[in-house]
Amino acid sequence: MNNRGNRTGRAAVGGMTAMVIASMLVLSGCGGDAGAPAGPSKDQPNAGEQTTKPGAPAVDTSPVTLKVFFGTGFEDKDIQNLIADPVKKKFPYISIKTYRPGQGTSIQELIAAGDTPDIVFTWNGDLGLFKELGLLEDMSGLSLKHGIDINRFEPVVLDAIRSMSNNKELAALPFAVNFNALYYNKDIFDKFGVAYPKDGLTWEELIPMAEKLSRIEDGTTYRGLDPENINRMSMPLSLTMVDAKTNKASVNNEGWKSVFELAKRIWSIPNNKPGTLNATGRTQFMNDKNVAMLPVQNILNLGLEAAAAKGLNWDMAQYPSYKNSPNVYGHVDTHIFSVTKPSKYKDQAMQVLSVITSDEVQLLSTRTTARLSPLKNTELKKQLGADMAFLKGKHLEAIFKSTPAPAPTFSLYEFQARAIVQKTFQSYFDGTDLNTTLRDAEMQVNQMLEASVRK
């Protein structure tokens, strides 16, 4: 998908909200004194014992540290508040060790070093990569064993996970669902006397606005519109770069042609070209404050609060649509946790997932980090960002005016194809004929696929 390595202090939960959440946590077994010792209580087995509660699976309660690999954005404080702390309260014998992609800590390097994680956190579009590495298996049996009711989740979200398997296996559980929105800098609009964007606009309607806002003023280059990258722009059309059924390139077609043409049209606006094509404009929008409009994923919990504290005067509108796909902000894009196939602690790992997919933690996540829950509970979704003070008065309603299209089925090699296609877009932007560019992209992707299959 996009540059997922970029993905993912909240306002304190106060007053009545704090009491409500605390009460729910206690009732669910996730509550308790945060400063209490981690030893056994009358409701918890001693270390080394097997759980014997009626209906509960027998799980070794010896102290264990589970290794969790976060392949996409998840801030340390959210890991602590939404995972480590709630898990420790209910299962005090489980600790969490965090890994992130980096030098020596890529998922491939961890596996090679014999340090394979017990749990991986990623998004549905990258499941093929983890499957190729032999980390995935059907978690349906484990979910049933640990009393996780799959029917609580939105079916379209589960379908996005199951689509990567011919047998429709459930290789992960969803934790949050992404959305796209149009974020805009009100000060830039005010500076140049342009009306703020409204809900329901198409990409074609945004371009004239971007032309008015892309200019140099007092030595500062203001960019009117940054759509992030071509992959983000392809999502409402549910396009892939590799056909999952044939494992052949799927780039030289009308869908990708329309995305390439639109992206070039936007980035060709005078003064609107970014330093590097396909690079995210979030830094310029949030830190430099020189991007007027940023149609992108949920960044409410990815630096926007800090940017607002430093003077970013922002609001949001509905994500722009393609004319033939109105009110669609992308395909289903869900952040997911998977218990790895090689893990020696699958039961304990599933206990972790049972906590973080609970109503209580999902409510906490929704209210304090503005992540959309994958649960069917519509009342829970209404609590989005309720305890984040900087969101007060913002047009959050825009998020719910669009819906996602069903996620496409991703090939195991989709991840590898992205860099190739983005690189060929650069040649198109630099003047290569579009048909030639798409044929070249198709050829390069197929060459990669042939080489990958031979390995």
Side-chain angles (χ1 to χ4, degrees), residues 310-361:
K310 294 180 180 178
L312 177 65
N313 184 16
W314 71 281
D315 209 333
M316 66 197 310
Q318 187 179 3
Y319 191 78
S321 296
Y322 287 93
K323 286 183 178 179
N324 59 347
S325 299
N327 303 314
V328 175
Y329 59 44
H331 60 65
V332 175
D333 169 7
T334 178
H335 285 165
I336 52 184
F337 282 98
S338 179
V339 177
T340 63
K341 186 175 183 178
S343 175
K344 297 179 182 178
Y345 306 106
K346 294 180 183 179
D347 284 318
Q348 293 89 337
M350 283 304 297
Q351 288 179 326
V352 170
L353 268 58
S354 72
V355 171
I356 61 182
T357 59
S358 67
D359 288 348
E360 296 74 30
V361 172

Side-chain angles (χ1 to χ4, degrees), residues 138-412:
D138 189 2
M139 291 169 48
S140 300
L142 277 172
S143 298
L144 181 63
K145 177 180 179 180
H146 288 271
I148 298 176
D149 183 5
I150 300 302
N151 293 320
R152 296 167 56 242
F153 298 99
E154 294 281 4
V156 70
V157 178
L158 295 179
D159 288 345
I161 298 171
R162 295 185 189 277
S163 68
M164 56 77 62
S165 167
N166 292 333
N167 297 322
K168 304 301 180 184
E169 295 175 346
L170 187 67
L173 292 181
F175 174 75
V177 181
N178 239 328
F179 60 81
N180 291 333
L182 176 64
Y183 304 84
Y184 61 92
N185 185 323
K186 298 172 72 173
D187 288 342
I188 297 178
F189 279 83
D190 293 342
K191 183 179 183 67
F192 299 124
V194 178
Y196 301 150
K198 299 178 181 179
D199 294 336
L201 296 178
T202 64
W203 285 104
E204 288 75 14
E205 290 170 320
L206 281 188
I207 289 175
M209 299 172 64
E211 291 171 341
K212 296 176 183 178
L213 296 163
S214 298
R215 58 175 78 181
I216 299 175
E217 190 86 7
D218 299 327
T220 299
T221 299
Y222 293 94
R223 299 178 53 222
L225 177 62
D226 191 319
E228 189 177 36
N229 56 51
I230 58 171
N231 198 67
R232 170 74 58 194
M233 299 174 70
S234 76
M235 289 177 63
L237 304 178
S238 295
L239 298 175
T240 61
M241 300 172 187
V242 179
D243 186 310
K245 293 183 179 179
T246 64
N247 273 332
K248 297 292 184 180
S250 181
V251 181
N252 190 10
N253 53 54
E254 290 301 312
W256 277 110
K257 182 178 181 180
S258 66
V259 172
F260 271 47
E261 288 176 331
L262 177 61
K264 183 174 183 178
R265 185 178 172 191
I266 291 172
W267 279 319
S268 295
I269 295 172
N271 302 313
N272 193 50
K273 180 182 176 182
T276 303
L277 293 182
N278 292 311
T280 177
R282 296 181 215 178
T283 299
Q284 294 97 325
F285 179 78
M286 292 194 285
N287 297 342
D288 301 334
K289 303 180 184 65
N290 67 336
V291 170
M293 293 183 286
L294 182 73
V296 73
Q297 68 184 76
N298 180 5
I299 58 173
L300 301 181
N301 57 14
L302 290 177
L304 192 57
E305 182 175 8
K310 294 180 180 178
L312 177 65
N313 184 16
W314 71 281
D315 209 333
M316 66 197 310
Q318 187 179 3
Y319 191 78
S321 296
Y322 287 93
K323 286 183 178 179
N324 59 347
S325 299
N327 303 314
V328 175
Y329 59 44
H331 60 65
V332 175
D333 169 7
T334 178
H335 285 165
I336 52 184
F337 282 98
S338 179
V339 177
T340 63
K341 186 175 183 178
S343 175
K344 297 179 182 178
Y345 306 106
K346 294 180 183 179
D347 284 318
Q348 293 89 337
M350 283 304 297
Q351 288 179 326
V352 170
L353 268 58
S354 72
V355 171
I356 61 182
T357 59
S358 67
D359 288 348
E360 296 74 30
V361 172
Q362 285 292 304
L363 176 63
L364 189 65
S365 174
T366 300
R367 292 186 68 96
T368 64
T369 74
R371 286 178 167 90
L372 276 180
S373 174
L375 301 182
K376 293 178 180 177
N377 189 335
T378 56
E379 291 302 314
L380 190 152
K381 290 178 172 61
K382 294 177 183 178
Q383 301 294 315
L384 187 73
D387 294 313
M388 301 169 73
F390 87 103
L391 296 181
K392 302 299 182 185
K394 300 302 181 182
H395 184 48
L396 300 181
E397 296 86 353
I399 297 167
F400 302 99
K401 293 185 177 182
S402 294
T403 56
T409 300
F410 292 100
S411 163
L412 300 180

